[in-house]
Amino acid sequence: MTLFVIGILFMLIYIMQMNIPTKAILLISCPDQPGIIARISDFIYKNKGNIIDVDQHTIHTEGLFLMRVEWQLEGFAIDRGDLEKHIKVLLNPLNALWHLYFSDKRMRIAVWVSTQDHCLLDLLWRVRAGELAGDIAVIISNHRVVEQMAIQWNIPFVYIPVTKDSKIHEIPQKKILLDYQIDTVVLAKYMQIVSSAFIKKSPIMINIHHSFLPAFPGAKPYNQAYIRGVKVIGATAHYVTADLDAGPIIEQDVIKVSHRDEVADLVRKGQDLERVVLARAVRLHLEHRVLVCKGKTVVFE
Amino acid sequence: MTLFVIGILFMLIYIMQMNIPTKAILLISCPDQPGIIARISDFIYKNKGNIIDVDQHTIHTEGLFLMRVEWQLEGFAIDRGDLEKHIKVLLNPLNALWHLYFSDKRMRIAVWVSTQDHCLLDLLWRVRAGELAGDIAVIISNHRVVEQMAIQWNIPFVYIPVTKDSKIHEIPQKKILLDYQIDTVVLAKYMQIVSSAFIKKSPIMINIHHSFLPAFPGAKPYNQAYIRGVKVIGATAHYVTADLDAGPIIEQDVIKVSHRDEVADLVRKGQDLERVVLARAVRLHLEHRVLVCKGKTVVFE
Amino acid sequence: MTLFVIGILFMLIYIMQMNIPTKAILLISCPDQPGIIARISDFIYKNKGNIIDVDQHTIHTEGLFLMRVEWQLEGFAIDRGDLEKHIKVLLNPLNALWHLYFSDKRMRIAVWVSTQDHCLLDLLWRVRAGELAGDIAVIISNHRVVEQMAIQWNIPFVYIPVTKDSKIHEIPQKKILLDYQIDTVVLAKYMQIVSSAFIKKSPIMINIHHSFLPAFPGAKPYNQAYIRGVKVIGATAHYVTADLDAGPIIEQDVIKVSHRDEVADLVRKGQDLERVVLARAVRLHLEHRVLVCKGKTVVFE
Amino acid sequence: MTLFVIGILFMLIYIMQMNIPTKAILLISCPDQPGIIARISDFIYKNKGNIIDVDQHTIHTEGLFLMRVEWQLEGFAIDRGDLEKHIKVLLNPLNALWHLYFSDKRMRIAVWVSTQDHCLLDLLWRVRAGELAGDIAVIISNHRVVEQMAIQWNIPFVYIPVTKDSKIHEIPQKKILLDYQIDTVVLAKYMQIVSSAFIKKSPIMINIHHSFLPAFPGAKPYNQAYIRGVKVIGATAHYVTADLDAGPIIEQDVIKVSHRDEVADLVRKGQDLERVVLARAVRLHLEHRVLVCKGKTVVFE
């Protein structure tokens, strides 16, 4: 009986999602000049698109213009398959970098964990709750601790132990990311350094680091925080680059601590931050709200 | 010697402000329809204006489109004096409410206080520091406690005692607001109820209330908070309407408290909030970043 | 193999807990007078107890002294079974209310939910992670939505539909609380009003309300918050009393929101608060850190 | 007339302070052993003292016991002048470090600034408002920018330019601290490095650093934060040691920022933090609530 009700529920969710009209999302960055907004909004209007949301930012010191525009495709004069071509014509004169996304193309995520499962469980829950514009396609781990959780949530689990010969062990991982057609890798407390060779070839990676970077990079940040005697601890979600814990920051948050908090308390309080900071970053990324520019992010919330 | 240096400093600030190019700021609200952004950005572009900042919001439940656009007037093809006329032509077909501001027209503020001076001193400091796009033209009070502060900061001070016959006492106040050409009245802990008759005829009023509204409206919110035993206290800056403490909220913030905090501690902690919450609201208002709609604010930060 | 490792892990946790020396926790409230701390600390010292933690608070307006003291039982001169008797002798002259707890007596929790499962899942995870000094003995719900989750986490699930005849439906609930020897009932988004008759006979109840009380009590607080246009939303964990949403507040927290947040966004952001605010309150309660006095809590953190 | 009223006000404040009963405050740190609390509370009780507040903390990893106890001197059996002697006898067997303070002995502060006056003005206001258990005895600066403010607030101002020969320029400073009988030096945005030779001989020094240390130590933290693209900025109040920005942290707080915030915005937002973080730290220090241990603080709030 229960399963029947749950089944109905899922069908309803599916039908509701069918009815959400598809939107196009365009991310642009180009040298600043007058008339960019007019050019783009005019293009959408003339082709009978209805802009849902537009956000723009100029980095004056760099002379860079950045923009995110989202419009309904229903009734749009240009066919979805031809849209890229038209946008190329529109934006080429601006010397622009741009990406086009469609809201009905759900992103595919690989969550990569070690033995801690709190961020993973949180992401699993959020995907099911419909908070994230993506699906967890596979869970990868160098331990078997979370395998049971993967089974219960019906997500494929791949066990890849970390060996000394890291160059070799990354070959199966690359294959997995290809096999599962992964768009985004989320390091949800993976606790291992990923080689720069792998980072270069991997889909974009988001990591959660358990400190307010740039304070306490590297290993054991809560221990570092305890020793230093800070009065706030934090968590940072960032894109992974070859420089350890130095990639563009997407989201950060902190919580107050006191001398009463021992390392175990910092871990406990910090985990509450890690969950929400990572989830917010993943949500923003999956909705194509983050642009990277000069090692920093512009987040169109 | 010191005065000479300070003199030079002020002259430099004056010259710097001269060099800041004047900007036009247009606030619009109208029924939603496709093409509004295209229409407005096209108008600015064709007249050789350079958009500095554009922010937009649609209240879907109300079918309302709201927008703030800011562009440089330098080299703009339409003369400043004729701009209103052109915008009328542009926006009339949209059935829009709109306001046009120029960034070099500094707003004139009346700060109205009772005996507490912390918000007043904070605003005085911020105006001098260049944080606010306005000047304090006059300080009004029903007590003489802050008169000395007004003198030290070279701001006219007007003493208007509150008498039982409130209808009469508001006549001089209206005259003062006219005499000093006030754009915005800031109730910086005035602690008196302003009559709805006066509110209707007054320039727009911003009030700071020392609670996170709608909790603890009216008198003695810190006492109310103490008795209820809340674990956070707050402050709320809002536009004043005839309904006490029920006007559109511009800004709110809170701070954690505990059972150790007695009423005097809540007052002390709360005053730190009152200062920054009021200052943020005044800054946003003076930069024409706040639109009121259906009893709520849209804040284009 | 995996199960074997997990088995070993659990055994290790068990052994570690065995080695944590048992502590006695004494909570006292009595009319203030000099010498109370001396009397109690002297009693513990003379009986060879080692105080781990002592915290005290005086409500001067009420003339009330409140204290929490925690000491190691290892080597304590008084037998555990006789301790109550000795404390009665010690505290009777002070006209004190007091409770004695032992840290190795884990509290038994009933979690009572409706259809939302985020707080339940969070509590399940925290119990397993060892964050809470208690165990979830049973999950009760008026829907079958969370039954599957209960099964996966190996917790007994009891389905009790809400009918119009609420007096009758509470009889099985009382029986369940007795059967499972429940110390604390946690309403983890139960969304139903519990009758005052039931509250009086029930073990102590903790509720999570999705607003910063006393703002937005009752139904649909996120809708209320949206309509009012607040710039922060909150969550409140409180003990349940016969007055709806008016019981002593244990913990509160807030998050900033803006005009961009629709009701669904408030729900999403609010759920992140609900989880941590409820978890913190439950943790503090289970560690016997909360004393209720005059409708408010004293929280010895 | 106004001055007369203000005069009366000050007299009232003075009389009120007269009526606040003097309290003794004892700060202790010693190797942990059973019975310390019993010994001290018993001593106070037997001499007819009434404990107002006691707070204690054990650093288990160091085996260190730390305690702050505050009791009323009214009716205390030991004469104030003899108290130190008795406490020596009491605490010598514990091998304790300890300090005894009396609440009616107001601390004398030197505020040392450069050209920024926001923290100075804030401290001046708080002293006058009665928030701080101390008085600003002198303002020292290497510029004359704040001289006018010092005059208006009736505080002696000493101008000591920073020259290349820093060893020489610190001689007059030491003399000033002696002349004004300074207990605490507050570096309220002094922006100069103080020599370690001077730090060693100076009264205890509190500094406000405009970042959440250990991130962004040294010069121009807001520029560093802008370049790194952090999503929160902070401020840290700490005791000054010979290691730049590495002294024990008393208080920290942060505020959220976004890509829209340019360096000037970070400065503006950060200054709001600097004021409250420094003020909280100074208040805690002046009330003898801070103990330093192993490069960290224990703050008895």
Side-chain angles (χ1 to χ4, degrees):
Chain A
M1 224 302 272
T2 319
L3 291 174
F4 182 76
V5 172
I6 293 173
I8 296 249
L9 218 77
F10 271 81
M11 281 170 65
L12 281 171
I13 290 167
Y14 180 75
I15 289 162
M16 275 163 62
Q17 283 182 340
M18 295 288 291
N19 284 337
I20 294 170
T22 302
K23 288 168 280 185
I25 298 154
L26 182 62
L27 286 177
I28 306 158
S29 87
C30 64
D32 193 22
Q33 67 175 83
I36 306 174
I37 298 168
R39 173 185 285 255
I40 294 162
S41 55
D42 206 52
F43 164 79
I44 296 166
Y45 175 58
K46 286 200 172 134
N47 289 296
K48 300 185 197 307
N50 191 20
I51 292 177
I52 305 282
D53 195 47
V54 60
D55 205 348
Q56 136 297 328
H57 179 63
T58 310
I59 305 176
H60 296 289
T61 49
E62 309 282 343
L64 256 174
F65 175 91
L66 306 152
M67 188 173 173
R68 179 186 188 275
V69 58
E70 187 175 335
W71 72 96
Q72 280 176 342
L73 279 186
E74 209 176 27
F76 198 58
I78 300 169
D79 200 68
R80 186 169 162 157
D82 298 332
L83 193 47
E84 289 240 349
K85 207 170 55 194
H86 282 80
I87 286 171
K88 207 173 280 178
V89 173
L90 178 77
L91 297 183
N92 264 2
L94 298 177
N95 205 11
L97 291 173
W98 56 273
H99 287 277
L100 178 69
Y101 303 95
F102 297 105
S103 64
D104 59 359
K105 203 265 173 196
R106 287 179 70 78
M107 304 287 278
R108 292 176 65 78
I109 310 161
V111 181
W112 205 336
V113 297
S114 195
T115 57
Q116 293 181 39
D117 61 1
H118 58 291
C119 286
L120 171 62
L121 181 58
D122 187 68
L123 291 171
L124 287 164
W125 184 89
R126 285 176 202 271
V127 167
R128 199 184 63 189
E131 278 190 17
L132 301 177
D135 297 301
I136 298 175
V138 65
I139 297 166
I140 305 170
S141 181
N142 56 332
H143 291 89
R144 291 203 177 272
V145 176
V146 305
E147 185 165 22
Q148 188 62 20
M149 189 179 280
I151 292 166
Q152 286 183 343
W153 288 75
N154 266 318
I155 311 285
F157 173 83
V158 180
Y159 168 61
I160 305 176
V162 170
T163 59
K164 280 186 186 166
D165 201 344
S166 67
K167 273 180 195 143
I168 291 169
H169 93 264
E170 280 167 358
I171 291 170
Q173 291 159 11
K174 276 183 226 165
K175 191 179 172 314
I176 290 158
L177 300 183
L178 276 174
D179 286 354
Y180 285 95
Q181 297 170 276
I182 297 305
D183 300 300
T184 304
V185 176
V186 176
L187 303 181
K189 307 276 299 183
Y190 177 50
M191 314 300 274
Q192 299 284 335
I193 293 172
V194 183
S195 80
S196 59
F198 183 76
I199 293 166
K200 270 177 203 156
K201 294 193 182 161
S202 160
I204 198 152
M205 283 186 156
I206 297 172
N207 183 45
I208 180 73
H209 183 76
H210 37 314
S211 82
F212 47 92
L213 289 171
F216 311 128
K220 294 188 174 287
Y222 292 129
N223 285 276
Q224 292 183 57
Y226 179 77
I227 289 163
R228 181 64 185 91
V230 290
K231 301 300 183 187
V232 285
I233 56 165
T236 305
H238 63 94
Y239 288 122
V240 177
T241 61
D243 294 327
L244 181 65
D245 297 330
I249 294 169
I250 308 168
E251 173 71 3
Q252 291 186 296
D253 212 343
V254 303
I255 191 169
K256 295 220 127 194
V257 296
S258 82
H259 63 270
R260 295 193 179 278
D261 291 301
E262 307 201 1
V263 173
D265 300 302
L266 301 187
V267 169
R268 174 174 48 79
K269 291 185 171 182
Q271 286 179 339
D272 286 351
L273 285 177
E274 293 164 18
R275 267 180 277 236
V276 293
V277 168
L278 179 60
R280 283 183 210 149
V282 169
R283 192 178 63 81
L284 292 166
H285 171 78
L286 295 177
E287 295 179 0
H288 314 296
R289 297 184 178 278
V290 191
L291 262 168
V292 172
C293 175
K294 306 270 165 184
K296 305 197 286 185
T297 63
V298 167
V299 180
F300 292 122
E301 271 185 276
Chain B
M1 223 302 272
T2 319
L3 292 174
F4 182 76
V5 171
I6 293 173
I8 296 247
L9 218 76
F10 272 80
M11 282 170 63
L12 281 171
I13 290 167
Y14 181 76
I15 289 161
M16 276 162 61
Q17 283 182 336
M18 295 287 290
N19 285 338
I20 294 170
T22 301
K23 288 167 280 186
I25 298 153
L26 183 62
L27 285 177
I28 306 157
S29 90
C30 64
D32 193 22
Q33 66 175 80
I36 305 174
I37 298 168
R39 174 185 283 256
I40 294 162
S41 55
D42 206 51
F43 164 79
I44 294 167
Y45 175 58
K46 284 198 176 139
N47 288 295
K48 299 186 198 307
N50 191 21
I51 292 177
I52 305 284
D53 195 47
V54 60
D55 205 349
Q56 139 292 337
H57 179 63
T58 309
I59 305 176
H60 296 288
T61 49
E62 309 283 343
L64 256 174
F65 175 89
L66 306 153
M67 186 173 173
R68 181 186 187 274
V69 58
E70 187 176 334
W71 72 95
Q72 279 176 343
L73 280 185
E74 209 175 26
F76 197 58
I78 300 169
D79 200 68
R80 184 170 164 157
D82 298 331
L83 193 47
E84 289 240 348
K85 209 170 55 194
H86 282 80
I87 287 171
K88 207 172 280 178
V89 173
L90 178 77
L91 297 182
N92 262 4
L94 297 177
N95 205 11
L97 290 173
W98 55 273
H99 288 276
L100 179 69
Y101 303 95
F102 297 105
S103 64
D104 59 359
K105 203 266 174 197
R106 285 177 73 78
M107 303 288 278
R108 292 175 65 78
I109 310 161
V111 181
W112 206 335
V113 297
S114 197
T115 56
Q116 291 181 40
D117 62 359
H118 59 291
C119 285
L120 171 63
L121 181 59
D122 188 67
L123 290 172
L124 287 165
W125 184 90
R126 285 176 202 270
V127 168
R128 199 184 62 190
E131 277 190 18
L132 301 178
D135 296 300
I136 298 175
V138 64
I139 296 166
I140 305 171
S141 182
N142 57 332
H143 291 89
R144 290 202 177 274
V145 176
V146 305
E147 185 166 20
Q148 188 62 21
M149 191 179 278
I151 291 167
Q152 286 181 346
W153 288 76
N154 266 319
I155 311 285
F157 173 82
V158 180
Y159 168 60
I160 304 175
V162 170
T163 60
K164 279 183 187 167
D165 200 345
S166 68
K167 274 181 193 145
I168 291 169
H169 94 263
E170 279 168 358
I171 291 171
Q173 290 159 12
K174 277 183 224 166
K175 193 181 170 310
I176 290 158
L177 300 182
L178 275 175
D179 286 355
Y180 285 95
Q181 298 170 274
I182 297 307
D183 300 300
T184 304
V185 177
V186 176
L187 303 181
K189 306 279 295 184
Y190 176 52
M191 314 301 273
Q192 300 284 333
I193 292 172
V194 183
S195 79
S196 60
F198 183 76
I199 292 166
K200 272 176 201 157
K201 294 192 180 161
S202 159
I204 198 152
M205 282 185 155
I206 296 172
N207 183 45
I208 179 74
H209 183 77
H210 37 313
S211 82
F212 47 92
L213 290 172
F216 311 129
K220 293 187 174 291
Y222 292 129
N223 285 275
Q224 292 183 58
Y226 179 77
I227 289 163
R228 180 63 185 91
V230 290
K231 301 300 183 189
V232 285
I233 56 166
T236 305
H238 62 93
Y239 289 121
V240 176
T241 61
D243 293 328
L244 182 66
D245 298 329
I249 294 168
I250 308 168
E251 173 71 5
Q252 291 186 297
D253 211 342
V254 303
I255 190 169
K256 296 220 126 195
V257 296
S258 83
H259 63 270
R260 295 193 178 277
D261 291 301
E262 308 202 359
V263 174
D265 300 302
L266 301 187
V267 170
R268 174 174 48 78
K269 290 185 172 182
Q271 286 180 339
D272 287 351
L273 284 177
E274 294 165 17
R275 267 180 278 236
V276 293
V277 168
L278 179 59
R280 281 183 211 149
V282 169
R283 191 177 64 81
L284 292 165
H285 170 77
L286 295 178
E287 294 179 1
H288 314 296
R289 297 185 177 278
V290 191
L291 262 169
V292 172
C293 176
K294 306 271 165 183
K296 305 196 286 185
T297 63
V298 167
V299 180
F300 293 122
E301 270 184 277
Chain C
M1 222 303 270
T2 319
L3 292 174
F4 182 76
V5 171
I6 292 172
I8 296 250
L9 218 76
F10 273 80
M11 281 171 65
L12 280 171
I13 290 167
Y14 181 74
I15 288 161
M16 275 162 63
Q17 283 182 338
M18 295 287 290
N19 285 337
I20 295 170
T22 303
K23 288 168 281 185
I25 298 154
L26 182 62
L27 285 176
I28 306 158
S29 89
C30 64
D32 194 21
Q33 67 174 80
I36 306 174
I37 300 168
R39 173 184 284 256
I40 295 162
S41 55
D42 206 51
F43 165 78
I44 295 167
Y45 175 56
K46 286 201 174 134
N47 289 296
K48 300 186 197 308
N50 191 21
I51 292 177
I52 305 284
D53 195 46
V54 60
D55 206 348
Q56 139 294 334
H57 179 62
T58 310
I59 305 176
H60 295 289
T61 49
E62 309 283 342
L64 256 174
F65 175 91
L66 307 152
M67 188 172 171
R68 180 186 188 274
V69 57
E70 187 175 336
W71 72 97
Q72 279 176 343
L73 280 186
E74 209 175 26
F76 197 57
I78 300 170
D79 200 68
R80 187 170 162 157
D82 298 331
L83 193 47
E84 289 240 349
K85 207 169 57 193
H86 283 80
I87 287 172
K88 207 171 281 177
V89 173
L90 178 77
L91 296 183
N92 263 4
L94 297 177
N95 205 12
L97 291 173
W98 57 273
H99 288 276
L100 178 69
Y101 303 96
F102 297 105
S103 65
D104 58 0
K105 204 263 172 197
R106 286 178 72 78
M107 303 287 279
R108 291 176 67 79
I109 310 161
V111 181
W112 205 336
V113 298
S114 195
T115 57
Q116 292 181 40
D117 62 0
H118 58 291
C119 286
L120 171 63
L121 180 58
D122 187 67
L123 290 172
L124 287 164
W125 185 90
R126 286 176 202 271
V127 167
R128 199 185 62 190
E131 278 190 17
L132 300 178
D135 296 301
I136 298 175
V138 65
I139 296 167
I140 306 169
S141 182
N142 56 332
H143 291 89
R144 290 204 177 272
V145 176
V146 305
E147 185 166 19
Q148 189 61 22
M149 190 178 280
I151 291 165
Q152 285 181 346
W153 288 76
N154 265 320
I155 311 287
F157 173 82
V158 180
Y159 168 60
I160 306 175
V162 170
T163 61
K164 278 183 187 167
D165 201 346
S166 68
K167 275 181 195 145
I168 291 168
H169 94 263
E170 280 167 359
I171 291 171
Q173 291 159 11
K174 276 183 226 166
K175 193 181 169 312
I176 289 157
L177 300 183
L178 275 174
D179 286 355
Y180 285 96
Q181 298 170 277
I182 297 304
D183 300 300
T184 303
V185 176
V186 176
L187 303 181
K189 306 277 296 183
Y190 177 51
M191 314 302 272
Q192 300 284 333
I193 293 172
V194 183
S195 80
S196 58
F198 183 76
I199 293 166
K200 271 176 204 158
K201 294 193 182 160
S202 160
I204 198 152
M205 282 186 153
I206 296 172
N207 183 45
I208 180 73
H209 183 77
H210 37 314
S211 81
F212 47 92
L213 290 172
F216 310 129
K220 294 187 172 290
Y222 292 130
N223 285 276
Q224 292 183 56
Y226 179 76
I227 289 163
R228 180 63 185 91
V230 290
K231 300 300 183 190
V232 285
I233 56 166
T236 305
H238 63 93
Y239 288 121
V240 177
T241 61
D243 294 328
L244 182 65
D245 297 331
I249 294 169
I250 308 168
E251 174 70 5
Q252 291 186 297
D253 212 344
V254 303
I255 191 169
K256 296 221 126 195
V257 297
S258 82
H259 62 270
R260 295 192 178 277
D261 291 301
E262 307 202 1
V263 174
D265 300 302
L266 301 187
V267 169
R268 174 173 48 78
K269 290 185 173 185
Q271 286 179 339
D272 287 350
L273 284 177
E274 294 164 17
R275 267 179 277 235
V276 292
V277 167
L278 179 60
R280 282 183 211 149
V282 169
R283 191 177 62 83
L284 292 165
H285 171 77
L286 295 178
E287 295 179 2
H288 314 296
R289 297 184 177 278
V290 190
L291 262 168
V292 172
C293 177
K294 307 269 165 184
K296 305 197 287 186
T297 63
V298 167
V299 180
F300 292 122
E301 269 183 278
Chain D
M1 225 301 272
T2 320
L3 292 176
F4 181 76
V5 171
I6 293 172
I8 296 249
L9 219 77
F10 272 80
M11 281 170 66
L12 281 171
I13 291 167
Y14 181 75
I15 289 162
M16 277 163 61
Q17 283 182 338
M18 295 287 290
N19 285 338
I20 295 170
T22 303
K23 288 168 280 184
I25 299 154
L26 182 63
L27 286 176
I28 306 157
S29 91
C30 64
D32 194 21
Q33 67 174 82
I36 306 175
I37 298 168
R39 173 185 284 255
I40 294 162
S41 55
D42 206 52
F43 165 79
I44 295 167
Y45 175 56
K46 286 200 173 135
N47 288 296
K48 302 185 195 307
N50 191 21
I51 292 177
I52 305 283
D53 195 47
V54 60
D55 206 347
Q56 137 296 332
H57 179 63
T58 309
I59 305 175
H60 296 289
T61 49
E62 309 282 343
L64 256 174
F65 176 90
L66 306 152
M67 186 174 175
R68 181 187 186 274
V69 58
E70 186 176 334
W71 72 96
Q72 280 177 342
L73 279 187
E74 210 176 25
F76 197 58
I78 300 170
D79 200 68
R80 185 170 163 158
D82 297 332
L83 194 47
E84 290 240 348
K85 208 169 55 194
H86 282 80
I87 287 172
K88 207 172 281 178
V89 173
L90 179 76
L91 297 183
N92 263 4
L94 298 177
N95 205 11
L97 290 173
W98 56 272
H99 287 276
L100 178 70
Y101 303 96
F102 298 105
S103 64
D104 58 0
K105 205 265 173 196
R106 286 178 73 77
M107 303 289 278
R108 292 176 65 78
I109 309 160
V111 181
W112 206 335
V113 298
S114 196
T115 57
Q116 292 180 39
D117 61 0
H118 58 293
C119 286
L120 171 62
L121 181 59
D122 187 67
L123 290 172
L124 286 165
W125 185 89
R126 286 176 202 270
V127 167
R128 200 183 63 189
E131 277 190 17
L132 300 178
D135 297 299
I136 298 175
V138 63
I139 296 166
I140 305 170
S141 182
N142 56 332
H143 291 89
R144 289 203 177 274
V145 176
V146 305
E147 185 165 21
Q148 189 61 22
M149 190 179 280
I151 291 166
Q152 286 181 346
W153 288 77
N154 266 318
I155 311 286
F157 173 82
V158 180
Y159 168 60
I160 305 176
V162 169
T163 60
K164 280 183 187 169
D165 199 345
S166 67
K167 275 181 194 146
I168 290 168
H169 93 266
E170 279 166 0
I171 291 170
Q173 291 159 12
K174 277 183 225 166
K175 192 180 171 314
I176 290 157
L177 300 182
L178 275 175
D179 286 355
Y180 285 95
Q181 296 170 275
I182 298 307
D183 299 301
T184 303
V185 177
V186 176
L187 302 181
K189 306 277 295 183
Y190 177 51
M191 315 300 274
Q192 299 285 333
I193 293 172
V194 183
S195 79
S196 59
F198 183 75
I199 292 166
K200 271 177 204 158
K201 295 195 181 160
S202 159
I204 198 153
M205 283 186 153
I206 296 171
N207 183 45
I208 179 74
H209 183 77
H210 37 313
S211 82
F212 47 92
L213 290 171
F216 311 130
K220 294 188 174 289
Y222 292 129
N223 285 275
Q224 292 183 57
Y226 179 77
I227 289 163
R228 181 63 185 91
V230 289
K231 301 299 184 189
V232 285
I233 56 166
T236 305
H238 63 93
Y239 289 122
V240 177
T241 61
D243 293 329
L244 183 64
D245 297 330
I249 294 169
I250 309 167
E251 173 70 5
Q252 291 187 296
D253 212 343
V254 304
I255 191 169
K256 295 220 126 194
V257 296
S258 83
H259 64 270
R260 294 193 179 278
D261 292 300
E262 308 202 357
V263 174
D265 300 302
L266 301 187
V267 169
R268 174 173 50 78
K269 290 185 171 184
Q271 286 179 339
D272 287 351
L273 284 177
E274 294 164 18
R275 266 180 278 235
V276 293
V277 168
L278 180 59
R280 282 183 211 149
V282 169
R283 191 177 64 80
L284 292 166
H285 171 77
L286 294 178
E287 295 180 0
H288 315 296
R289 296 184 178 279
V290 191
L291 262 169
V292 172
C293 176
K294 306 268 165 186
K296 305 197 285 184
T297 62
V298 167
V299 179
F300 293 122
E301 270 186 277

